[in-house]
Every structure is written in structure tokens, then in C-alpha cells.
Amino acid sequence: MTLLPRLLASAALVAGLALPAAAQDDPFQVGFIYVGSPGDYGWTYEHDQGRLAVEEHFGDAVETVYLENVPEGADAERAITQMILGGADMIFTTSFGFGEATNAVAAQFPDVYFEHATGYLREHPNVSTYNARFYEGRAVLGHIAGHMTESNIIGYIGSYPIPEVIQGINSAFLHAREVNPDVEIRVVWTYTWFDPAVEADAAQALIDAGVDVLMQHTDSTAPQTVAQEAGIISFGQASDMIQFAPRPRVASIIDNWAPYYIRRVGEAMEGTWEQSAVWEGIDTGMVVIGEMTDAIPEDVRASAQAMIDAMAAGEYHPFTGPINRQDGSVWLADGEVADDGTLAGLDFYVEGITGEIPN
């Protein structure tokens, strides 16, 4: 989509104006609702890379539009509605908090295809959900962090205390503790997906508390900048954030949405789209570990790669027992693997993590 039509589309949506309805022989129009900006070089950036991949793959047969910085809640419902009135045949809503709005609008437009990222609500047959097994990537980063920390304190910036984020904290800690029994993890909650100032403050607070390895489940590069200034180690989040390599960013977890977007748009255009709940990971390439720099010792890079290969082959699951809950009670017996239902609703820390999960 060229710049001028995109700006006109965004302006009309922000103003609450309906765009002209697409004619029957017009390109198949796909809309994307973003909680942040593609310029975050994180979460929204990778979704936008997926949008651009759709354009490149389908050429003139598809037109894409997007609206950025859409608040979760009632504003999202209005934005989705106006995008459909502007001619969208398919909508991807790319943040957890868009779930209720997505389903509310889907009820009004049964002929439009809806795809909601990281959610679970599928109240209508024209709504699907898709998610990535981010906890697999956190396992690899936790393994590296456990080896590289000298203070034995790993910091973790959490966005919201939802299962997706709790999975990542637990996975990172378990795999850090596996290689370093003395390690601890400290979590600061930001209650935002994208707010560079808040994220920077959270990073600094963790550094002040003795953290020398920093992880994040927020969208901006602000924590990377703070880590760089402090001379500590960090990991790219959602996108590669390679501009901060070789330090502080020594590796990254990348969300690769492009293949899924291309597949689902193709199915919608062909009339073969069906409701689904997708949760893919390293094995399909939806979760990718970015380049591990030479700042990581060679043997640690090798063991991290071995873990990646094992997960890709289906030979290893990050939540394999024995694992206890934070209170010491048994969660998973020796050799037992967590089922997807439990993980999708995960609301507790594992044994060894101090602090409480806020409501």
C-alpha cells in the first residue's frame, strides 16, 4: 500500500469516517489493528513485517490497511468497525486486549474474517485466534542468562500479569536455574505493552536492584538503551533489535508472523478459511531465536542451539517435570509435560521465584 492511501485511510478511521466500500472486483482488502506503532521495532514492527509480506506475496490481488496506536477497549471496537465499513474483507487484531472488541464486531459482520492474536475468545464462527509459544524462546534466553549472569540476579520486565507473560517468566527462570542453582529472578510490572518511558524506568529499577541480565515482555527498545548505558546484558524482544548487538543484546526472540498471515489470507481468498485456534512455536518457525553474538561463550551458544534443535524436533518441552508450584506443591511429576490447557491459563509462579503475581 502506498503512503498516500495509507495516510488517507488512517485519517478517515481516526476521524470516524467510513471509507468508500470496495467494489466486487477490487483487491481483497486486509486490515491490521495495532496496539503500538511499527516504529517500536518490537511487537508491532513484526506484525507490520507480516503485513508487508502479505503485500509482496499476493501483489495487486491484495490491498492492506492498518491503524496504529489503537487503545484496547471501546476505541478498538470503533476502529475495527470503521475499517470494515471502509472495505476490509479480513481483519487481524494484534493484541491480547482486542479480544472482546474483535468478537463484538464479528457478530455484526458475519461475512468478514477475523483473526485475533494471542487471545482465546472465539464466540462466532468467523473468529479465529493465533498465538506463538513464546515460552520456548524464553527457555533458550533463560539458559543463556543463567550462564552469563555474574550477580546471579536476572531482571524481567513484565507487561500485564496474564498467562502468556507468566509462562515466559517461569520458563526463563527454570532454565536459568537449571544451569545456575544460585540464580534469582526479579520482576517489575509496567501495566503497559508500549511506553518507552515506563519501560526505561522499570529497567533502571531492576539494574539498581543488582540485575546484570535483563529480559522484557514489553514492546519498545527503551530497556535495550538503558541496558547499554549500564553495561549489562539484554535480549531482543518480539523482533531482533539487532541494532543493539553485539552488546547489550546478545540474542533475541523473534515473532515471525509472516507465514501465518500469508496462509490465512490465502485461505480466505480461496474460500477455504475455517475457524481455528493456532499455537505454534520453534518447530514451525513462528518463534525464532535471533543471532547469538560472540559475547556469549561458544559452549553456551552450542548448548542453547542444542535446546533449539530439540524443541524444533519435538524432543523437548520447556515445561517437563519435575516442577513444583511456588508454594512447593507438585505441579508436574518427573517426566510429565504440561498440557496446553494448563499453560493457557497459567496463573502461578514455579518454585524458587519470590514475590506475588498481582491481580
Side-chain angles (χ1 to χ4, degrees), residues 4 17 25 38 69 71 79 95 101 119 130 144 177 202-203 248 327 342 347:
L4 182 57
L17 303 175
D25 58 351
N69 297 317
S95 187
Y130 60 102
I144 297 169
R177 177 65 68 90
D327 62 8
T342 300
D347 61 355

Side-chain angles (χ1 to χ4, degrees), residues 14-32:
V14 170
L17 303 175
L19 301 175
Q24 196 148 10
D25 58 351
D26 279 351
F28 187 82
Q29 189 180 106
V30 185
F32 292 79

Side-chain angles (χ1 to χ4, degrees), residues 79-157:
I80 298 166
T81 300
Q82 293 301 327
M83 191 171 275
I84 294 169
L85 294 177
D89 302 293
M90 187 175 196
I91 301 285
F92 289 89
T93 55
T94 63
S95 187
F96 177 83
F98 291 150
E100 292 185 1
T102 301
N103 281 270
V105 179
Q108 303 172 48
F109 297 94
D111 295 329
V112 175
Y113 303 98
F114 292 84
E115 297 267 353
H116 177 222
T118 72
Y120 61 92
L121 292 175
R122 296 176 298 279
E123 297 173 343
H124 308 284
N126 57 333
V127 179
S128 285
T129 55
Y130 60 102
N131 202 353
R133 297 183 184 272
F134 307 118
Y135 64 82
E136 293 182 346
R138 308 289 182 207
V140 178
L141 303 190
H143 174 84
I144 297 169
H147 276 292
M148 296 194 71
T149 179
E150 296 179 359
S151 69
N152 292 327
I153 307 175
I154 296 170
Y156 204 108
I157 303 172

Side-chain angles (χ1 to χ4, degrees), residues 13 39 62 90 98 119 122 156 161 239 245 265 278 318-319 333:
L13 289 169
V62 165
M90 187 175 196
F98 291 150
R122 296 176 298 279
Y156 204 108
S239 74
V265 170
V278 166
F319 291 109

Side-chain angles (χ1 to χ4, degrees), residues 4-244:
L4 182 57
R6 187 170 73 236
L7 291 175
L8 290 173
S10 295
L13 289 169
V14 170
L17 303 175
L19 301 175
Q24 196 148 10
D25 58 351
D26 279 351
F28 187 82
Q29 189 180 106
V30 185
F32 292 79
I33 301 292
Y34 297 152
V35 72
S37 165
D40 66 11
Y41 293 104
W43 175 262
T44 298
Y45 172 81
E46 284 298 329
H47 284 285
D48 200 56
Q49 291 298 296
R51 178 187 68 82
L52 293 172
V54 167
E55 287 189 343
E56 181 178 0
H57 183 85
F58 293 103
D60 293 340
V62 165
E63 177 187 28
T64 71
V65 294
Y66 70 86
L67 190 58
E68 62 186 45
N69 297 317
V70 177
E72 297 174 332
D75 287 336
E77 190 170 334
R78 287 190 288 271
I80 298 166
T81 300
Q82 293 301 327
M83 191 171 275
I84 294 169
L85 294 177
D89 302 293
M90 187 175 196
I91 301 285
F92 289 89
T93 55
T94 63
S95 187
F96 177 83
F98 291 150
E100 292 185 1
T102 301
N103 281 270
V105 179
Q108 303 172 48
F109 297 94
D111 295 329
V112 175
Y113 303 98
F114 292 84
E115 297 267 353
H116 177 222
T118 72
Y120 61 92
L121 292 175
R122 296 176 298 279
E123 297 173 343
H124 308 284
N126 57 333
V127 179
S128 285
T129 55
Y130 60 102
N131 202 353
R133 297 183 184 272
F134 307 118
Y135 64 82
E136 293 182 346
R138 308 289 182 207
V140 178
L141 303 190
H143 174 84
I144 297 169
H147 276 292
M148 296 194 71
T149 179
E150 296 179 359
S151 69
N152 292 327
I153 307 175
I154 296 170
Y156 204 108
I157 303 172
S159 48
Y160 294 97
I162 60 175
E164 170 191 321
V165 180
I166 297 167
Q167 292 162 19
I169 295 168
N170 283 334
S171 182
F173 174 75
L174 286 169
H175 291 83
R177 177 65 68 90
E178 184 178 41
V179 298
N180 181 349
D182 297 324
V183 81
E184 60 179 284
I185 194 166
R186 297 186 182 177
V187 182
V188 170
W189 297 97
T190 62
Y191 297 95
T192 180
W193 294 111
F194 178 76
D195 189 322
V198 173
E199 293 173 64
D201 288 345
Q204 190 60 57
L206 287 166
I207 292 167
D208 291 344
V211 161
D212 65 351
V213 178
L214 185 65
M215 305 178 74
Q216 66 179 97
H217 200 140
T218 52
D219 296 352
S220 87
T221 59
Q224 306 295 319
T225 300
V226 175
Q228 189 171 52
E229 293 170 350
I232 69 166
I233 291 169
S234 63
F235 299 95
Q237 155 61 15
S239 74
D240 205 6
M241 299 187 179
I242 195 69
Q243 63 269 39
F244 292 95

Side-chain angles (χ1 to χ4, degrees), residues 144 148 233 242 245-251 290-302:
I144 297 169
M148 296 194 71
I233 291 169
I242 195 69
R247 286 178 69 112
R249 173 247 176 252
V250 297
E291 177 191 0
M292 292 181 278
T293 73
D294 290 342
I296 303 172
E298 184 177 359
D299 63 326
V300 177
R301 277 182 277 142

Side-chain angles (χ1 to χ4, degrees), residues 51 129 256 267 270:
R51 178 187 68 82
T129 55
N256 180 25
E267 290 170 355
E270 295 166 358

